[in-house]
Amino acid sequence: MRLNIRHRTVYRYDRPIAYAIQTLRLTPSPHDGLHILSWRLRGETRRPLTASTDGFGNVVHCHTVNHPHDSSAVFVEGEVETQDTAGVVRNAPDPLPPLYFLQPTPLTGVTPRIDAFAQEAVGGISAPLDRLHQLMGAVRDAVDWQLGRTAVHTDADEALAEGAGVCQDHAHLFIAACRALGTPARYVSGYLWTGNHNEEFEANHAWSEAFVPGLGWVGFDPANRVCPNEYYVRCAVGPDYRGAAPVRGLVRGEAVEEMEVQVRVTQAAGAQQ
Amino acid sequence: MTGSDGPCRAPYAMIESWLRDTPPDLMEAKRRNAEVLFRRIGITFAVYTEGGDPERLIPFDIIPRVLDSGEWQYLSRGLEQRVKALNAFLRDVYGEREILRAGKIPAELVLHNSMFTPEMQDLAVPGGVFTHVCGIDLVRVGPEDFYVLEDNCRTPSGVSYMLENRAVMMRLFPDLFNRNVIRPVSHYPDELMDALQSVSPPNCEGEPTVAVLTPGAFNSAYFEHSYLADEMGVELVEGPDLVVDDAIVYMRTTEGLKRVDVLYRRVDDDFLDPLTFRPDSMLGVPGIMHAYRAGNITLANAVGAGIADDKAVYMYVPEFVRFYLGEEPILKNVPTWDCRHKDQLSYVLDHLDELVVKEVHGSGGYGMLVGPKASREERETYRQILLARPEDHIAQPTLALSTCPTFVDGGIAPRHVDLRPFVLMGKEIRIVPGGLTRVALREGSLVVNSSQGGGTKDTWVVGTDDPAPGEGARA
């Protein structure tokens, strides 16, 4: 499937700030289910952004605005060709061994509540893949999709207690539960096509991956109860949201920030099926 | 200077005659002089968590610790070997991890270690150097028997004491330096500068600009930061003095922004880049990891080097020497029990009165139990700590540390000493002869940390094994 992505983020400040810097994890790396036809990132200045690869294999860009300003913007525009691999991620850059992704992080700590939840979800099932599918459903059942009930710093245990959250919370709970079961798991940020209805979203999508011996890393999107298919564009991975966050930034100056995000994922013209 | 209570070793003959021939009142006057000099230099030491006078002097003992050139040759070969192995381990552990695949160290111990820094994975550090400055803490238990107590691969401090101790001794006792060939240490800052410049980043053209990054004046080692910057003739900067623009690090100067190529940073990893590590850090430079990854800056020491001096990883350093260098280790490790293993833990619990128990990630003598010196109560408290968090602790036997004659209230008496030589690694390895000798001033004490009542001494390597003139020649 050929997908077109347009992602625009505008920051506005109520008074000028002197300096801003951002880490952008907004560029996919190719793998067996993803072929990149074109991808372009543009920041506030005309010069191209300096790119590097982080320790998790993600492409990161450094965006700095080193002069007084009261707004700045980041644009992403790209076109990719995707294939359904039933969630299995093959030939993606993957510099760290699965074992690394077994340890808890601040947002995915394994609490007694999460441990009990995980054990109950997979009780009686032994096949690794079946257990993970079961767990994915259980996460979605336990956490209702509701905006505004959680925040970016909400951890897995809090999301489970709240019983409501967004895709980030579903991913964190799934990851923490996997680790409780001894399965390496990690966070994925990226884009999702949801149909040709010209709809705009206010955020990227997030899901998770679990390591299955024999298969490798397999994606699970608990928010939608599916393994990622050709509708998914995988951008960055990390042990939790913080490691895979699409944007992490800092400013110098005292100002109230207002952020406006527009994400549009469409089926590319001329490639309708 | 003696292994136990035997006769003094040969290198100390001159110290013995010096002490014998110097009238006690003159010696006393010199000791007071030394204190005045240190106050004037302003070299003081603030101790975390202790409170009290932050401007406290670390006690300085005017009787030097002496090594002859044969001993030094042996030590420096051992140090060079050890630091090469530590650096090779860091390159491997953030690269291919062959040592894990070979099963020479448990994978969990590395990958689940809080000191393991995934952000360093596959980052091509300039010149392949992680450990630009290493302080290796040694103790001696016999004539040819040195043990490494711990490796300090992050931001080892104390080198300014080594330099100032020497400067003060030369001022107080110029005669001693005239009469004996004592190898110089004062060129350390030049060697440091050379080492740093020799591993400038790939995108640096021309003479690399070096700067020293300090957390600020409230840091206990601030004196050293400013001292080294002065001696190297480079800028001393704090986080807010630096700015990252398009993955390049600049410092603000009176003439505008100036590009920095090599940063000798004395700010811990956690605080170095709030965009990557602790977001609340005010001490660091947002985005400096971008510059690092883009090949625009050298950080000394490299980020993530702490995995090599972790106390649990320490046990495997002799294995690193064999694995990476194919050599037998010259310097020994202190036998160590790893409390994460049940059998070793139970041994430790049964022998608490004989062992020194340390926290794996701790530093500087905090959070440790010296079994033979501890009260029954203290041991009991520690037993509970061990049972609660065994994986955070290791234990070692108490060693019969060598002693060195030291001025104490009742005259001159033997006191236990250790030695921290500073190993510099740029394109090649350089070690200034000597190091920082720390002395446990309390009778019988084995804890030399300045935070725990330790003092320092000048450290002499006497005699030459090359034709370089000693400081004595031009004093």
Side-chain angles (χ1 to χ4, degrees):
Chain A
M1 184 175 194
R2 189 170 284 201
L3 295 174
N4 182 286
I5 290 106
R6 282 161 181 269
H7 178 188
R8 179 168 171 267
T9 312
V10 180
Y11 300 86
R12 289 191 189 85
Y13 307 97
D14 65 343
R15 70 190 83 165
I17 55 159
Y19 172 82
I21 182 165
Q22 292 167 325
T23 297
L24 308 175
R25 290 184 198 82
L26 292 168
T27 305
S29 298
H31 58 86
D32 283 3
L34 181 73
H35 180 63
I36 297 156
L37 301 168
S38 69
W39 201 271
R40 207 160 68 96
L41 238 74
R42 200 152 50 83
E44 193 54 32
T45 47
R46 286 183 177 277
R47 66 194 172 197
L49 303 176
T50 301
S52 57
T53 306
D54 75 8
F56 304 112
N58 304 316
V59 177
V60 293
H61 287 86
C62 175
H63 180 220
T64 45
V65 185
N66 190 18
H67 55 76
H69 60 289
D70 55 15
S71 77
S72 74
V74 175
F75 304 94
V76 180
E77 191 175 357
E79 203 158 294
V80 297
E81 181 79 42
T82 58
Q83 265 160 14
D84 185 2
T85 57
V88 180
V89 182
R90 287 227 173 89
N91 292 317
D94 199 12
L96 285 164
L99 182 63
Y100 174 78
F101 296 95
L102 200 53
Q103 43 172 357
T105 67
L107 292 175
T108 60
V110 177
T111 59
R113 183 177 9 220
I114 284 179
D115 195 49
F117 163 77
Q119 302 298 343
E120 198 194 316
V122 303
I125 306 168
S126 58
L129 213 48
D130 293 346
R131 282 162 71 93
L132 293 167
H133 279 282
Q134 192 67 28
L135 184 61
M136 174 165 69
V139 165
R140 188 60 182 79
D141 291 341
V143 178
D144 191 28
W145 194 92
Q146 281 184 42
L147 272 175
R149 294 278 293 271
T150 52
V152 282
H153 49 76
T154 301
D155 68 25
D157 185 68
E158 289 164 349
L160 179 58
E162 184 70 24
V166 295
C167 56
Q168 173 180 321
D169 305 300
H170 292 120
H172 279 154
L173 178 56
F174 182 81
I175 292 164
C178 278
R179 290 177 186 155
L181 298 171
T183 300
R186 62 192 184 187
Y187 191 95
V188 187
S189 65
Y191 299 99
L192 172 63
W193 178 76
T194 55
N196 279 337
H197 39 56
N198 238 355
E199 196 180 340
E200 281 185 350
F201 297 94
E202 289 187 354
N204 307 39
H205 191 48
W207 58 97
S208 38
E209 285 172 3
F211 190 80
V212 182
L215 279 179
W217 287 103
V218 181
F220 290 89
D221 179 6
N224 292 304
R225 299 177 196 265
V226 293
C227 286
N229 51 23
E230 71 270 35
Y231 304 161
Y232 288 74
V233 180
R234 178 185 183 271
C235 273
V237 298
D240 64 17
Y241 166 77
R242 279 178 199 153
V247 181
R248 186 165 162 178
L250 275 171
V251 300
R252 248 173 210 169
E254 300 266 326
V256 177
E257 179 185 285
E258 204 179 281
M259 185 177 76
E260 189 194 317
V261 184
Q262 291 172 319
V263 180
R264 182 180 296 203
V265 182
T266 51
Q267 202 167 357
Q272 310 268 340
Q273 289 175 350
Chain B
M1 75 184 170
T2 60
S4 52
D5 291 328
C8 287
R9 290 181 308 105
Y12 277 94
M14 63 161 165
I15 299 291
E16 226 172 2
S17 62
W18 168 60
L19 291 174
R20 198 177 49 233
D21 299 343
T22 310
D25 54 335
L26 178 59
M27 215 46 120
E28 193 44 47
K30 295 280 188 189
R31 289 180 66 198
R32 279 199 305 272
N33 248 336
E35 182 158 345
V36 171
L37 286 174
F38 276 108
R39 284 265 180 227
R40 196 173 300 155
I41 297 163
I43 185 162
T44 57
F45 184 86
V47 182
Y48 295 117
T49 74
E50 269 190 2
D53 178 12
E55 301 285 282
R56 184 168 69 82
L57 281 179
I58 293 189
F60 172 69
D61 184 70
I62 61 174
I63 305 177
R65 192 257 185 92
V66 185
L67 298 161
D68 70 25
S69 62
E71 292 168 332
W72 178 250
Q73 252 180 5
Y74 159 82
L75 269 186
S76 53
R77 272 193 304 122
L79 290 166
E80 178 163 349
Q81 181 194 53
R82 189 159 178 114
V83 171
K84 272 186 184 162
L86 290 168
N87 195 69
F89 170 68
L90 287 165
R91 284 177 78 160
D92 186 30
V93 101
Y94 293 122
E96 299 293 317
R97 277 180 293 277
E98 282 168 16
I99 197 160
L100 301 196
R101 261 179 260 143
K104 301 287 183 190
I105 181 170
E108 288 85 356
L109 186 59
V110 171
L111 295 170
H112 292 180
N113 194 305
S114 61
M115 290 293 126
F116 180 77
T117 311
E119 289 79 4
M120 289 303 292
Q121 178 64 35
D122 294 332
L123 196 152
V125 299
V129 178
F130 283 77
T131 53
H132 306 79
V133 185
C134 270
I136 308 292
D137 291 349
L138 301 164
V139 290
R140 177 176 212 163
V141 297
E144 284 285 287
D145 225 3
F146 286 90
Y147 283 95
V148 176
L149 275 187
E150 60 182 50
D151 306 290
N152 294 278
C153 301
R154 284 171 254 187
T155 48
S157 57
V159 79
S160 55
Y161 291 99
M162 172 184 87
L163 296 167
E164 289 295 359
N165 288 354
R166 175 60 56 85
V168 165
M169 282 302 281
M170 288 181 75
R171 247 181 104 169
L172 292 177
F173 304 106
D175 276 2
L176 274 177
F177 289 85
N178 286 332
R179 274 187 273 135
N180 301 287
V181 181
I182 298 155
R183 294 179 61 186
V185 296
S186 59
H187 56 299
Y188 176 86
D190 302 334
E191 298 275 22
L192 174 60
M193 185 71 172
D194 285 351
L196 294 173
Q197 288 194 318
S198 76
V199 287
S200 59
N203 295 341
C204 165
E205 287 162 18
E207 175 96 343
T209 301
V210 178
V212 177
L213 175 66
T214 176
F218 54 85
N219 183 274
S220 69
Y222 181 73
F223 171 85
E224 180 159 305
H225 308 157
S226 73
Y227 178 93
L228 289 173
D230 270 3
E231 291 289 316
M232 288 194 286
V234 304
E235 294 294 330
L236 177 70
V237 295
E238 297 182 23
D241 299 327
L242 298 178
V243 61
V244 172
D245 193 5
D246 192 22
I248 295 170
V249 182
Y250 298 92
M251 61 180 163
R252 302 174 207 274
T253 72
T254 46
E255 288 112 51
L257 293 181
K258 185 171 196 300
R259 186 166 173 157
V260 179
D261 304 297
V262 182
L263 196 59
Y264 180 40
R265 51 96 182 195
R266 299 292 296 258
V267 170
D268 291 345
D269 288 2
D270 272 356
F271 297 93
L272 191 60
D273 183 353
L275 202 56
T276 305
F277 304 112
R278 283 180 61 151
D280 56 339
S281 170
M282 308 296 283
L283 307 173
V285 186
I288 199 166
M289 287 298 287
H290 280 291
Y292 203 23
R293 284 208 162 264
N296 289 332
I297 195 148
T298 297
L299 295 175
N301 290 356
V303 174
I307 185 73
D309 69 18
D310 180 75
K311 287 191 179 70
V313 170
Y314 159 89
M315 286 176 274
Y316 299 89
V317 177
E319 204 49 55
F320 300 167
V321 174
R322 293 183 196 105
F323 185 77
Y324 296 112
L325 310 179
E327 298 169 10
E328 267 310 299
I330 297 167
L331 300 174
K332 287 183 215 166
N333 254 23
V334 181
T336 302
W337 287 271
D338 184 353
C339 298
R340 76 177 62 221
H341 302 298
K342 275 210 172 87
D343 50 330
Q344 302 192 32
L345 173 66
S346 73
Y347 179 89
V348 172
L349 291 173
D350 288 347
H351 296 83
L352 270 185
D353 53 340
E354 299 164 18
L355 300 172
V356 178
V357 186
K358 294 177 180 174
E359 239 183 286
V360 175
H361 307 298
S363 71
Y366 299 114
M368 69 191 275
L369 175 84
V370 181
K373 305 280 168 206
S375 67
R376 182 178 290 270
E377 232 170 43
E378 287 169 324
R379 285 201 295 270
E380 204 39 54
T381 309
Y382 228 86
R383 178 186 304 277
Q384 298 311 321
I385 295 173
L386 272 172
L387 285 168
R389 293 182 294 117
E391 68 282 0
D392 288 347
H393 295 87
I394 54 150
Q396 295 170 334
T398 50
L399 301 171
L401 298 197
S402 65
T403 61
C404 183
T406 302
F407 272 105
V408 295
D409 285 344
I412 297 171
R415 286 292 182 267
H416 293 295
V417 289
D418 80 349
L419 177 65
R420 174 180 288 188
F422 294 90
V423 183
L424 295 174
M425 187 183 226
K427 278 228 159 61
E428 52 191 65
I429 289 183
R430 301 273 181 84
I431 313 171
V432 170
L436 177 66
T437 292
R438 295 185 297 177
V439 53
L441 293 171
R442 278 183 236 135
E443 188 172 4
S445 170
L446 295 169
V447 182
V448 296
N449 299 79
S450 44
S451 53
Q452 309 276 307
T456 68
K457 284 169 169 290
D458 191 12
T459 309
W460 291 1
V461 175
V462 295
T464 52
D465 54 5
D466 57 45
E471 269 159 343
R474 47 186 171 82

